[in-house]
Amino acid sequence: MAYGLENLIEDCQKALADGASKAALGEVCTAMANVLKNQSFVEQHFGTHLPIGRSTLYHDPKLDFYIYAHIPDGAILSPPHDHASAWAAYGQAVDHTRMSDWIIPEGEILPKPTRTYLMQPGSAGFYDVGELHAIDMPASSRFLRITGTDIDVLPCKYYDEVDTRKSIAAHL
Ligand SMILES: [Fe+2]
């Protein structure tokens, strides 16, 4: 049997049972990479036959993590942001995402990019509580996301005043 949603859920539960340490989040990413290698899982949850939007594939009632399949409504260029008190892990399902890491240098107000990398299908990475990232993806990009609680209700901070593309270009 190919590695599927049930395996992903089980491995996330095991990884997060003793808390969301960086090692545990690394294990969540390994599980995401495993499930994204399963082409029938990708087709079932990210196929072109599906409507645009976000589907909740699972919510763990005890550990409170969510597994989402995202089919964005067009290209996304998000400014750097945090996820308030939550962590978030991203796994690329279809096409690519140009992801960047940001930090706020001591004594400054606005974040600066420290790293930019390309996420290809099957790759996964996480942002721990308080870590900043920005997203640049084409309309055809589709991704799996696992978050440590429902991020939508949290006061995530977006640095809209930062010109993401320009800042990254200046950094590279
Ligand atoms: Fe994010």
Side-chain angles (χ1 to χ4, degrees):
M1 277 286 283
Y3 189 100
L5 180 59
E6 290 306 313
N7 303 99
L8 173 65
I9 292 167
E10 202 179 304
D11 282 348
C12 288
Q13 287 169 332
K14 268 190 224 155
L16 297 167
D18 294 325
S21 63
K22 284 196 192 295
L25 296 177
E27 286 174 34
V28 167
C29 289
T30 301
M32 293 171 92
N34 284 338
V35 83
L36 290 168
K37 286 189 192 97
N38 177 347
Q39 282 314 303
S40 62
F41 172 86
V42 172
E43 179 59 21
Q44 186 184 348
H45 299 290
F46 303 95
T48 48
H49 61 289
L50 294 166
I52 281 163
R54 185 187 78 176
S55 317
T56 303
L57 304 187
Y58 180 73
H59 170 236
D60 192 280
K62 191 165 150 239
L63 299 167
D64 196 30
F65 66 84
Y66 286 77
I67 302 178
Y68 299 116
H70 287 264
I71 300 181
D73 181 15
I76 294 176
L77 181 65
S78 96
H81 62 276
D82 64 26
H83 304 110
S85 56
W87 54 265
Y90 293 77
Q92 193 68 33
V94 177
D95 211 334
H96 71 275
T97 297
R98 190 168 293 281
M99 197 72 96
S100 54
D101 301 351
W102 298 64
I103 55 156
I104 301 175
E106 212 168 316
E108 295 190 29
I109 296 160
L110 293 178
K112 293 205 162 43
T114 56
R115 182 171 78 116
T116 296
Y117 58 102
L118 206 59
M119 293 190 71
Q120 302 279 14
S123 63
F126 69 85
Y127 289 92
D128 207 345
V129 176
E131 291 179 341
L132 307 175
H133 77 135
I135 291 169
D136 181 358
M137 61 169 67
S140 48
S141 182
R142 297 177 175 211
F143 62 97
L144 182 68
R145 188 163 75 134
I146 304 187
T147 63
T149 196
D150 179 6
I151 279 180
D152 287 355
V153 301
L154 297 179
C156 300
K157 181 151 179 50
Y158 281 79
Y159 293 87
D160 294 303
E161 57 274 64
V162 174
D163 185 334
T164 308
R165 277 210 176 111
K166 235 181 177 172
S167 304
I168 291 174
H171 165 74
L172 294 175

